[in-house]
Amino acid sequence: MKKHNFSSGPSILPDEVLQKAAQAVLNFNDSGLSLIEISHRDPTFVHIINSARNQALELLKLKNKGYSALFLQGGASLEFVRVTYNLLSANGTAGYINTGNWSNNAQNEASYFGKIVEVASSKNKNYSYIPKNIQVPSNLDYLHITSNNTIYGTQFKEFPQTDVPLVCDMSSDIFSRVLDFTKFDLIYACAQKNAGTSGVNLVIVKNELLERIKKTIPNIMSYKKHIEKESMYNTPSVFSVYVSYLTLNWLKDSGGVAAMERKNRAKANLIYSEIDRNNLFFGNAVVEDRSTMNATFFLKDESLAAHFNTLCLKEGIYGINGHRTAGGYRASIYNALSITSVQLLVQVMQHFETKFG
Ligand code: PMP
């Protein structure tokens, strides 16, 4: 039985992506070779990575707007460091908005390299909200934001107004909603939620931003070098890039980001309405800041957890346990998850209430 996959990442992929990816491993395009046994310099693969880079820009409406797209490695965690390496000058300061574990990690990593300032934080209330009316100092080399807090289930709906370069970790909500992406100078995301599978990170950078970098950076850490080498400075993660290529094509064929946003809103409304209605659960993220990607919720009576878990298991609901640091439950409802999976989860929650409420 195919399970209903609410995993936070690596996470659900569209069926057609899985099928094409599986086929490519066995016999890529009837070539008699597997995709993962050919050279990354083979024109077939060069076409795949370039198409995926283009598709990413097109989906975000950044094509011909002076941006480059890269597929790099090391996860979003490596971008925490690469961003700082490239953008933080010797005497400069980087600003961080701390809205969850991942932004906290990003800012910690940056602090090894230079001066950082925490511009705003929601740590005081266990990351249950998004700080508002943020005053951004004007002397920053860049401001770093995490658009969606995967663990605690909050999401920026509006971004701070600022003239300093805006860097955004969109790991868990890229391609999920329409934004004016030209507001961002650098966007990065690990692929394993809305953009493919793990092993690759998508980086989208405004070329102009890199022109001001004067320091020498090791090649593997340099965005400029990766752009110059068209994302092939070293051997890319070929299989992961191919899964991203398929996922982005699927996204385009499914109506693009606007269609995803409509679908994601419908799913989010469904699950949050149930969390609010059901007497056995509560949500802790502030309502206006709730994520449309990761819905977090808790049992009012923890002693019922085993019963709820058993019901979920029986219905093939997978991956709704909260992050180990947060506890409770988390339904990750990324682009590829169908609304029928959310409907099923809601039914299970209702059934649970009837039995134990
Ligand atoms: N940022 C965010 C918002 C994330 O959700 C995650 C992973 N879940 C990361 C960064 C870290 O990504 P990785 O494990 O690929 O380094």
Side-chain angles (χ1 to χ4, degrees):
M1 175 179 87
K2 177 99 181 154
K3 296 211 164 128
H4 296 267
N5 188 354
F6 290 86
S7 174
S8 62
S11 52
I12 186 163
L13 284 161
D15 273 345
E16 66 173 70
V17 168
L18 291 177
Q19 273 164 25
K20 286 180 184 164
Q23 184 52 39
V25 170
L26 295 173
N27 180 7
F28 179 53
N29 281 353
D30 262 338
S31 61
L33 292 160
S34 163
L35 172 81
I36 56 173
E37 61 179 12
I38 61 171
S39 166
H40 59 294
R41 305 278 173 202
D42 186 296
T44 325
F45 182 76
V46 174
H47 169 75
I48 288 167
I49 192 164
N50 285 338
S51 307
R53 291 168 66 210
N54 269 323
Q55 188 69 272
L57 292 177
E58 212 162 274
L59 285 164
L60 301 180
K61 306 229 178 318
L62 290 176
K63 194 95 188 282
N64 303 321
K65 300 245 170 85
Y67 285 79
S68 301
L70 300 167
F71 284 101
L72 304 179
Q73 292 177 66
S77 301
L78 200 115
E79 299 315 326
F80 297 164
V81 178
R82 197 150 25 205
V83 160
T84 318
Y85 235 116
N86 282 261
L87 303 182
L88 184 54
S89 58
N91 299 316
T93 305
Y96 280 77
I97 300 185
N98 183 0
T99 50
N101 282 26
W102 296 114
S103 33
N104 203 40
N105 285 2
Q107 106 181 22
N108 279 345
E109 293 289 270
S111 69
Y112 292 116
F113 286 87
K115 196 167 162 217
I116 64 134
V117 57
E118 191 174 82
V119 173
S121 170
S122 55
K123 200 171 183 173
N124 62 338
K125 291 193 178 159
N126 203 24
Y127 297 124
S128 56
Y129 69 102
I130 295 290
K132 311 284 175 342
N133 303 318
I134 299 169
Q135 298 302 314
V136 182
S138 57
N139 66 334
L140 300 176
D141 282 355
Y142 64 88
L143 175 70
H144 182 281
I145 291 188
T146 309
S147 53
N148 185 69
N149 176 3
T150 326
I151 295 178
Y152 295 89
T154 60
Q155 186 175 36
F156 274 90
K157 308 294 170 182
E158 278 175 26
F159 292 85
Q161 295 294 327
T162 177
D163 289 332
V164 309
L166 200 53
V167 173
C168 191
D169 175 358
M170 287 196 193
S171 288
S172 49
D173 68 350
I174 195 161
F175 304 121
S176 71
R177 57 176 171 161
V178 176
L179 295 172
D180 176 4
F181 292 97
T182 62
K183 286 205 170 115
F184 301 93
D185 296 81
L186 193 150
I187 297 167
Y188 65 88
C190 53
Q192 62 263 25
K193 297 150 198 312
N194 271 338
T197 189
S198 57
V200 78
N201 7 310
L202 177 60
V203 175
I204 292 174
V205 58
K206 199 185 219 171
N207 301 324
E208 206 182 87
L209 180 71
L210 303 180
E211 281 163 21
R212 61 178 89 167
I213 301 172
K214 299 288 173 257
K215 62 181 175 178
T216 310
I217 300 168
N219 287 332
I220 192 72
M221 300 302 282
S222 162
Y223 290 125
K224 263 191 211 163
K225 181 56 78 182
H226 285 294
I227 292 170
E228 185 194 316
K229 296 290 182 186
E230 300 186 320
S231 213
M232 292 273 242
Y233 166 70
N234 66 329
T235 315
S237 174
V238 288
F239 181 69
S240 302
V241 170
Y242 186 60
V243 176
S244 285
Y245 163 85
L246 295 173
T247 306
L248 299 184
N249 286 349
W250 167 83
L251 239 151
K252 174 84 187 298
D253 294 345
S254 311
V257 176
M260 288 301 133
E261 176 171 331
R262 285 193 293 278
K263 178 178 161 189
N264 291 330
R265 278 221 180 125
K267 288 183 289 183
N269 285 341
L270 200 59
I271 182 72
Y272 285 122
S273 306
E274 182 57 22
I275 292 167
D276 292 341
R277 189 209 60 78
N278 195 307
N279 278 326
L280 298 184
F281 295 100
F282 69 98
N284 71 334
V286 165
V287 171
E288 75 219 43
D289 299 329
R290 280 173 165 174
S291 166
T292 55
M293 293 281 96
N294 311 97
T296 50
F297 55 103
F298 296 82
L299 275 171
K300 289 179 186 164
D301 177 359
E302 276 291 331
S303 72
L304 294 176
H307 297 294
F308 183 59
N309 297 348
T310 305
L311 283 181
C312 288
L313 201 66
K314 200 167 140 243
E315 294 299 332
I317 289 172
Y318 171 81
I320 60 158
N321 279 340
H323 189 266
R324 61 190 181 280
T325 58
Y329 295 96
R330 168 177 52 174
S332 296
I333 50 177
Y334 299 127
N335 285 345
L337 188 85
S338 98
I339 196 154
T340 51
S341 293
V342 182
Q343 284 160 345
L344 178 71
L345 175 58
V346 165
Q347 278 166 24
V348 170
M349 289 164 81
Q350 289 170 350
H351 178 56
F352 177 63
E353 188 191 31
T354 324
K355 258 180 116 174
F356 297 97

